[in-house]
Amino acid sequence: MFGQLVIGPPGSGKSTYCRAIAHHLINSVKRPVIIVNLDPANDRPPYEADVDVQNLIEVDEVMERLTLGPNGAILFCMEYIENNMEKLKEMVTSQNAYVIFDCPGQVELYTHHTAFRNIVNAIAKWGMQLCVVSMVDSHYCTDPAKFISVLLTSLSSMMHLELPHINVLSKIDLVDKMGPLAFKLNFYTEVLDLSYLLAELDERVCSRRFIKLNQALTGLVEDYNLVSFYPLNVQDIGSLHRLCKAVDKANGYVYGELEERTVVGLSQSESGVDLEFEYDKSLQYEDR
């Protein structure tokens, strides 16, 4: 089995992406797909969940019984799921399909808390090949300090979860409405020389300590050299198509399900020919 874990902060477009990519895979790629709502606080997703973790535990009930706040209740719920994975396994593995997990929006689950990582490890033991799709709102590109924070959070998630990882700048079609970008889009997607980004920090507003801190953070990100982003507009089939290809290569779907065509593709790639595997070759997509 193969699947993707869709993570990211609240409002980054996780559930909207889950609905869009499921529709694309089912209708354009003809792939059987199920969506698993792994967020015990997401009681109104924009899709019909095939498996809903709220059948196991709900945030509102935890808050009421244990007098916890929203974040504490989410952490409790994830720890409960961690200790009851057999129930989740029965609901997910009974359906032979590609799995899309819509995950909670609490960033600490992906950067340092152990419950979600243990859940992911348990899912991997089911024999499922996973890829993390980490959603980030593209409006952070308009603020140098916020984008540096996004880089650090993305790197932390990659190191903590230890899975194939695709970082995504969501709502890219709206980025022009959020303010002018200091650089072209590929500067942010490819995470080019971050010293130029530091130069955009206004010394009249930012203290010297703040600038020095950001210098250290950008140095750390560049030393690891792991973070890059895919731009995404969920209303553009070409954008979804390109991201779908990247995820399938990251979690090994193209190698597990299409062995014969993969061998041909690998041989052709040596000659510079890109085999589209199961994808519609008529789809063309140009980076903005």
Side-chain angles (χ1 to χ4, degrees), residues 52-165:
D52 197 335
V53 77
Q54 291 189 0
N55 293 327
L56 297 178
I57 190 169
E58 295 183 4
V59 164
D60 291 340
E61 183 179 356
V62 171
M63 292 174 61
E64 181 179 351
R65 290 191 177 187
L66 302 181
T67 62
L68 293 173
N71 285 344
I74 284 286
L75 295 180
F76 179 90
C77 289
M78 300 312 290
E79 290 171 354
Y80 176 86
I81 296 170
E82 175 190 358
N83 295 317
N84 293 273
M85 288 299 295
E86 285 301 318
K87 296 180 180 179
L88 183 63
K89 180 181 179 180
E90 292 175 7
M91 293 188 290
V92 175
T93 58
S94 62
Q95 307 183 55
N96 185 22
Y98 186 92
V99 186
I100 299 172
F101 293 91
D102 188 6
C103 302
Q106 276 61 28
V107 176
E108 59 266 32
L109 290 172
Y110 317 122
T111 57
H112 59 275
H113 198 274
T114 59
F116 186 77
R117 184 176 63 182
N118 293 338
I119 291 172
V120 169
N121 291 338
I123 293 174
K125 290 180 180 178
W126 303 347
M128 187 173 295
Q129 301 292 322
L130 296 170
C131 173
V132 175
V133 178
S134 181
M135 311 290 291
V136 176
D137 197 316
S138 60
H139 85 268
Y140 289 115
C141 296
T142 61
D143 187 313
K146 289 181 179 178
F147 186 69
I148 292 171
S149 298
V150 164
L151 292 174
L152 185 64
T153 302
S154 299
L155 177 61
S156 179
S157 298
M158 295 173 76
M159 300 296 291
H160 184 67
L161 296 178
E162 299 178 325
L163 283 173
H165 209 101

